[in-house]
Amino acid sequence: MSSLGRSSIRPYRGVYPVVPTIFADNGQVDLEGQKRAIDFMIDAGSDGLCILANFSEQFLLTDSERETVMRTVLDHVAGRVPVIVTTSHFSTDICAERSKRAQEAGAAMVMIMPPFFGATLRVAEAGIYEFFRRVSDAISIPIMIQDAPMAGTALSPAFLARMAREIAQVSYFKIEVAGTAGKLRELIALGGDAIEGPWDGEEAITLMADLDAGATGAMTGGGFPDGIRQIIDPYFAGNREGALVAYERWLPLINYENRQCGLSAAKALMKEGGVIRSDFVRHPLQPLHPETRKGLIEIARRLDPLVLRWGL
């Protein structure tokens, strides 16, 4: 399933799943497993990839591990698809430095959440604006703002559109909050051509509504990009009915990932299909309950995704 034709140049669009960080059973980063995960995800039709995101367990990696994973992935991808590197940090200077290193290593884009820390430490709009302006000034690749509940920060469509118009590199938006479709519509209406990439997220659980609202990309889990392509490809080709049928078919698995498994879903599927040796998640995260894992695999087998065949 070739994807280079539509994703190798801007505007980036399509399916850009989050790459899980692969660990051995002892908890150490498994770079060979990481490369296999990358190869599978490209073979499964990913238009691009996103690394070091929340679904990559980025909050459980040391700075040194982040750097190693980033450079390993970018070197191994070697330009086959664009790679987005998540560089979020509360510190403006650290986020800017992370973003510069990502660009120098070959990232096509950086994804950044608004600055927050813990349950209560938030930044007002003036500080958020200046944060993204300074990061933008440090790089020459696009910034994707991740608008997700984890940040606990209200980002109005008007404010996001203003940043898109006024801050050079702010041009992509991953919207994954309640009422995403409505927010996407308003963002696109207010931002116009400055909104280069209105994307959805949250494992594509609201993908059809978001496509109808104008989404041009989806950042999903990494276990079944081929399934998400079956929804997006016909939609972009003008076959909404075909997309809807595919969405109905894949939604039980999307829902099971989103509601039951979270970031563990991709690893469990990859291990089941021989892509990786271990589906280890770092403590304090807990492994999937055996019955939950069984339910995930049962639903997936009905759909025959590449992940369950790739490494066998």
Side-chain angles (χ1 to χ4, degrees), residues 225-307:
D226 46 332
I228 307 300
R229 283 287 298 267
Q230 290 178 28
I231 304 165
I232 280 189
D233 285 359
Y235 193 96
F236 287 168
N239 180 8
R240 185 178 181 277
E241 179 61 25
L244 187 57
V245 169
Y247 180 64
E248 291 171 344
R249 186 168 62 250
W250 286 89
L251 188 55
L253 182 58
I254 293 169
N255 180 74
Y256 205 93
E257 175 182 36
N258 178 268
R259 291 308 208 192
Q260 307 299 326
C261 303
L263 61 82
S264 294
K267 290 186 178 185
L269 291 167
M270 288 183 186
K271 182 181 179 183
E272 184 73 15
V275 179
I276 58 177
R277 293 188 179 91
S278 174
D279 55 4
F280 185 92
V281 293
R282 280 187 169 172
H283 198 270
L285 297 181
Q286 298 296 306
L288 288 179
H289 189 283
E291 289 301 314
T292 302
R293 188 182 190 280
K294 179 181 176 182
L296 173 71
I297 302 304
E298 179 183 38
I299 292 174
R301 289 205 183 282
R302 291 175 175 268
L303 296 161
D304 191 33
L306 180 63
V307 68

Side-chain angles (χ1 to χ4, degrees), residues 89-111:
H89 199 282
F90 186 80
S91 163
T92 304
D93 290 342
I94 293 174
C95 184
E97 181 59 31
R98 282 183 174 183
S99 299
K100 284 193 291 185
R101 290 202 305 272
Q103 176 177 308
E104 290 164 0
M109 189 190 311
V110 293
M111 183 170 74

